[in-house]
Amino acid sequence: MERPAWAPRGIDISVPSVSRIYDYYLGGSHNFDVDREAARKAMEFMPGLPKIMKANRAFLRRAVRFAADEGITQFLDIGSGIPTFGNVHEVAQSASPGARVLYVDNDPVAVAHSEAVLEGNEDTDVVAADLRKPQEILTSSQFQRLIDQNRPVALLLVAILHFVEDEDGPYEAVAQLRDALAPGSLLVVTHASYEGIPLPPERAEGAVDVYKNIRNPLIMRSRDEIARFFEGYDMMEPGLVPMPEWRPDTALEDEDPYSYSGFAGVGRTA
């Protein structure tokens, strides 16, 4: 397999990556044959996966605008993925010039592309780190430079928690980040679930198995299990709901049925 010029040296381009598969679903070009193959296999079971990802991105943009309207000027986006149109810093800095955005990802391709996209933007940065190790994020030089821990932060955990298995402590990681951020901070979450998918669960399990086979298990939690991530937060209206239903800016009847797969919510610390 020929290595594209944009692919960082040292990464194994024969192994699928969740962030590159996501990029493919969104119509991006920074993915390899192996990523496209895995994505197409998952879509054999769940053909609406691209619709789910696009609903996820649309929710992210609405949540960032909401945070900016609430006076938040600092954004910590963990599991940020490969930069694509309408990224957090574009939305945040358009709504609030000077807003600071720190991206975090453990995929070398995502980090490398973020560095290229962010070059020259002093109010943004990227750090190679993992949600499962919050202290690595909080003690990074990038975090220390950009984030004022005395002021509220919007913590974005969008389409990332469902890739963290229970034994890796996702609830504990979210709690550590909550406790490190100033009162008035926001938690923004989307999470996959069997609830809402317009397919029998046993068919959706076929797509889940594809992620398991590429060593990135997709953990389909229930609504109640997802709600536990918001312990210590007051839920903002309309609560934990399917992605299109969170403060929509388009008519819900125009939404694809797959867009209602999983849940989205925003909470605020006291």
Side-chain angles (χ1 to χ4, degrees), residues 29-181:
S29 58
H30 295 106
N31 46 77
F32 305 137
D33 287 342
V34 69
D35 305 307
R36 294 187 284 274
E37 182 182 354
R40 287 191 286 264
K41 281 182 180 176
M43 288 170 63
E44 289 176 9
F45 298 97
M46 199 183 299
L49 278 166
K51 297 291 186 182
I52 297 173
M53 305 312 165
K54 288 172 183 175
N56 188 78
R57 293 295 299 186
F59 162 78
L60 173 63
R61 291 191 288 270
R62 297 197 304 276
V64 169
R65 288 195 297 268
F66 169 79
D69 289 345
E70 293 291 302
I72 301 287
T73 59
Q74 304 185 108
F75 297 81
L76 178 59
D77 185 2
I78 302 179
S80 49
I82 294 170
T84 186
F85 175 74
N87 241 15
V88 171
H89 72 278
E90 295 171 336
V91 178
Q93 292 171 355
S94 174
S96 179
R100 295 187 164 196
V101 178
L102 179 60
Y103 293 111
V104 181
D105 208 287
N106 63 359
D107 185 324
V109 173
V111 173
H113 277 285
S114 296
E115 289 172 342
V117 167
L118 302 176
E119 186 174 3
N121 188 330
E122 292 299 315
D123 292 323
T124 62
D125 211 337
V126 59
V127 58
D130 195 308
L131 171 61
R132 292 168 291 192
K133 300 177 180 177
Q135 287 306 311
E136 288 187 0
I137 300 169
L138 297 170
T139 60
S140 68
S141 59
Q142 296 93 330
F143 183 90
Q144 297 297 321
R145 180 181 77 84
L146 273 182
I147 304 299
D148 180 353
Q149 287 178 262
N150 295 311
R151 295 192 294 116
V153 175
L155 171 59
L156 311 175
L157 300 178
V158 174
I160 179 65
L161 287 165
H162 49 232
F163 290 113
V164 184
E165 298 179 85
D166 285 346
E167 53 263 39
D168 289 327
Y171 295 103
E172 293 80 1
V174 173
Q176 284 185 51
L177 290 163
R178 177 198 65 211
D179 294 344
L181 302 179

Side-chain angles (χ1 to χ4, degrees), residues 16-38:
S17 153
V18 165
S19 63
R20 297 194 306 265
I21 292 171
Y22 187 71
D23 177 70
Y24 172 74
Y25 289 142
L26 291 175
S29 58
H30 295 106
N31 46 77
F32 305 137
D33 287 342
V34 69
D35 305 307
R36 294 187 284 274
E37 182 182 354

Side-chain angles (χ1 to χ4, degrees), residues 224-242:
D224 287 346
E225 288 171 328
I226 298 166
R228 280 184 54 203
F229 287 112
F230 288 95
E231 288 182 2
Y233 288 88
D234 294 325
M235 293 299 296
M236 310 299 291
E237 291 293 336
L240 187 61
V241 295

